[in-house]
Amino acid sequence: MSKSLSAPSISDFNQSLLGFLQASPTPFHATSSMVSILLSAGYTELFEDQAWQLKEQAGYFIRRNDSSIIAIWLADKSQALRLVGAHTDSPCLKVKPNASLCGKGYFQLGVEVYGGALLAPWFDRDLSLAGRVHVRIDGKIESALVNFERAIATVPSLAIHLDREANKGRTINPQTQLPPVLSIAGAKDKDLNSILMAEVARQLAKENPGSEEQLESILDYELFFYDTQPPAIIGLDNEFIASARLDNLLSCFIGLQSLLESDKSQNKLLICTDHEEVGSASACGAQGPFLQQVMERIWPSNEDRNRIIAGSMMISADNAHGIHPNFSDRHDQNHGPMLNQGPVIKVNANQRYATNSLTSAIFKQLCDDVGVSYQTFVTRTDMGCGSTIGPITASEVGIETIDIGVPTFGMHSIRELAGSEDAFELTKVLKHFFEKASLTE
Ligand SMILES: [Zn+2]
């Protein structure tokens, strides 16, 4: 059996996690961050429009739409597969196509709300802008990642003097109240395209001096606002991690660390897909054919592939709701996961989570094997339940699946909160999942 990488200490682990969150303001950047880590671990990129020559005892990864990624370690093609799944996207404000607004003397950008964002926390933040831009450069269409990095916008609150009812259940109109303010418009109208041209040229000049002169035009973009406040360890005794996008870049990071730190004895696969927050129905989302098509190319024979699927298991990792001390009535009295008390097994009678008693038993055994405590979440019976990629992947591919995740507060806020020990503990469990010889023994 090959030696695995030595496991880092919890503080090194958390510092790497904070760095990953900071470097990944959009699904495109998250995928690019994972690509860099996989390349430095010796994984080879496979391209979907080319023929594949796969070897055993080798690591590969495949990108789709620059925002979803599958990484696979092929130990022995006759073995079943251990899968971990997560998602790369998070709720946020996405810039509209014709976004520039200059009507009131200020330069603003029109935005759509991407996913189920908590809108109130977006006010009074120092916002930056990042995403993917398609440009024409030297006569060709090319894509470029762009990240302004510095704070260039804000959504100012309305003073309480102008809305005395503000603290009494104020509603937010996303069309009229959310367009961020970028600058004072001045005499000359500003427009996003020329700002993007300048920014892309600046980034090209930095990466490859001279190439900026070939830049002809901006054709289109997918741009998202994000909070520039860096991720941080906070709390009197450093108990918490505060950051944007913990849902679900935390799980992407855990999955990737587990994949790379575990030994090389098992076939293991990490899938991180975009568009979970809007239902996963896209070419690169969990409801699309990405995983199925990759598996068809690794195991072209139906008979072989169906045998592999029947023996495989997937852990779908996405954050859970910790019980909030100020809102404890929102949880079932026997199912209130605490921060820093271990990963949460998510259960739902209506298959909003894919967990069943077999996959739950296997996960509990994995936790026991490595001395990690676990908790269980089921929603109050008089409340609806969220969902994730677990049931979607299970129903698309037919793999036994469990839904688990790290307990957090403020899910879908611009700044969420997790325990500073849970990510590290869950990594131990997933690493063990990726290397245990038999999951039922
Ligand atoms: Zn999520």
Side-chain angles (χ1 to χ4, degrees):
M1 194 181 286
S2 332
K3 252 188 97 209
S4 52
L5 296 175
S6 61
S9 71
I10 187 162
S11 70
D12 289 351
F13 175 93
N14 281 338
Q15 285 311 314
S16 304
L17 168 60
L18 300 192
F20 179 78
L21 292 163
Q22 173 84 347
S24 310
T26 75
F28 302 112
H29 291 82
T31 301
S32 167
S33 300
M34 285 189 270
V35 165
S36 307
I37 297 168
L38 286 161
L39 285 172
S40 57
Y43 278 59
T44 305
E45 180 156 19
L46 298 171
F47 297 92
E48 292 192 274
D49 60 353
Q50 294 174 11
W52 293 0
Q53 307 289 339
L54 300 174
K55 287 193 289 224
E56 292 180 336
Q57 286 299 311
Y60 301 98
F61 67 89
I62 305 105
R63 269 186 265 197
R64 191 176 275 202
N65 188 47
D66 304 323
S67 63
S68 293
I69 187 165
I70 289 175
I72 181 162
W73 174 262
L74 260 190
D76 168 352
K77 277 178 73 175
S78 66
Q79 282 179 0
L81 193 54
R82 311 279 166 85
L83 302 95
V84 169
H87 64 88
T88 57
D89 60 322
S90 307
C92 64
L93 303 185
K94 184 179 185 193
V95 180
K96 287 183 174 177
N98 298 322
S100 302
L101 303 169
C102 297
K104 303 284 190 296
Y106 290 87
F107 176 56
Q108 295 174 266
L109 293 178
V111 287
E112 287 184 278
V113 178
Y114 176 84
L118 267 179
L119 295 179
W122 279 83
F123 287 82
D124 307 325
R125 296 276 172 169
D126 304 342
L127 302 176
S128 190
L129 195 57
R132 178 172 72 168
V133 182
H134 274 96
V135 298
R136 183 159 39 234
I137 186 162
D138 202 13
K140 290 200 265 306
I141 296 175
E142 299 220 8
S143 91
L145 290 189
V146 51
N147 183 357
F148 284 76
E149 290 180 3
R150 67 191 181 89
I152 59 166
T154 183
V155 185
S157 285
L158 180 67
I160 193 158
H161 315 77
L162 305 181
D163 178 9
R164 291 289 181 190
E165 300 299 302
N167 290 332
K168 294 185 188 145
R170 176 174 161 247
T171 56
I172 297 167
N173 181 318
Q175 170 69 19
T176 60
Q177 297 176 356
L178 283 183
V181 176
L182 283 83
S183 73
I184 295 172
K188 205 165 137 268
D189 273 2
K190 293 188 167 71
D191 81 284
L192 180 58
N193 255 38
S194 47
I195 293 165
L196 278 177
M197 272 295 273
E199 182 61 22
V200 174
R202 193 186 67 77
Q203 293 195 15
L204 285 173
K206 209 166 86 184
E207 286 154 24
N208 183 11
S211 64
E212 75 279 10
E213 279 153 34
Q214 315 292 323
L215 180 63
E216 293 163 22
S217 61
I218 305 289
L219 293 167
D220 216 331
Y221 54 75
E222 290 163 77
L223 293 173
F224 306 90
F225 281 102
Y226 72 93
D227 187 6
T228 54
Q229 184 178 5
I233 304 287
I234 65 164
L236 189 58
D237 293 310
N238 299 317
E239 297 97 329
F240 306 116
I241 297 174
S243 175
R245 304 178 298 282
L246 290 177
D247 175 13
N248 193 18
L249 295 186
L250 185 82
S251 306
C252 293
F253 182 80
I254 291 170
L256 190 56
Q257 293 301 310
S258 310
L259 179 79
L260 298 179
E261 282 170 20
S262 50
D263 72 29
K264 296 173 173 173
S265 58
Q266 302 295 323
N267 288 338
K268 45 189 183 171
L269 184 149
L270 173 69
I271 175 165
C272 297
T273 46
D274 196 359
H275 301 144
E276 190 271 348
E277 299 293 358
V278 292
S280 290
S282 73
C284 66
Q287 194 153 1
F290 189 25
L291 177 59
Q292 182 71 28
Q293 289 176 345
V294 165
M295 291 191 69
E296 282 168 8
R297 295 180 74 165
I298 300 171
W299 292 280
S301 136
N302 279 341
E303 165 73 16
D304 292 350
R305 190 174 60 258
N306 289 336
R307 220 164 43 208
I308 294 291
I309 287 171
S312 295
M313 175 171 158
M314 165 135 165
I315 296 180
S316 159
D318 199 353
N319 298 343
H321 302 298
I323 186 165
H324 191 306
N326 300 349
F327 302 92
S328 55
D329 62 335
R330 297 305 166 107
H331 276 71
D332 178 86
Q333 71 268 30
N334 286 350
H335 301 90
M338 294 281 297
L339 271 53
N340 284 339
Q341 291 197 12
V344 178
I345 298 167
K346 302 192 266 184
V347 178
N348 180 258
N350 299 305
Q351 292 296 312
R352 303 285 290 165
Y353 299 129
T355 308
N356 61 37
S357 57
L358 171 64
T359 55
S360 177
I362 289 172
F363 187 79
K364 288 176 178 174
Q365 182 65 53
L366 289 168
C367 290
D368 287 342
D369 290 346
V370 292
V372 170
S373 56
Y374 51 81
Q375 315 179 70
T376 307
F377 173 79
V378 64
T379 195
R380 281 181 62 106
T381 313
D382 53 4
M383 281 172 68
C385 182
S387 190
T388 181
I389 63 164
I392 294 170
T393 313
S395 48
E396 289 292 314
V397 188
I399 292 178
E400 288 276 15
T401 301
I402 183 169
D403 276 296
I404 56 99
V406 162
T408 59
F409 291 154
M411 191 180 286
H412 294 190
S413 170
I414 197 167
R415 202 155 175 91
E416 302 171 325
L417 197 73
S420 56
E421 295 171 14
D422 288 324
F424 184 73
E425 294 294 294
L426 179 55
T427 303
K428 287 186 200 165
V429 181
L430 297 193
K431 180 171 173 270
H432 183 49
F433 169 65
F434 275 145
E435 48 189 33
K436 191 176 179 185
S438 165
L439 291 178
T440 50
E441 281 164 39

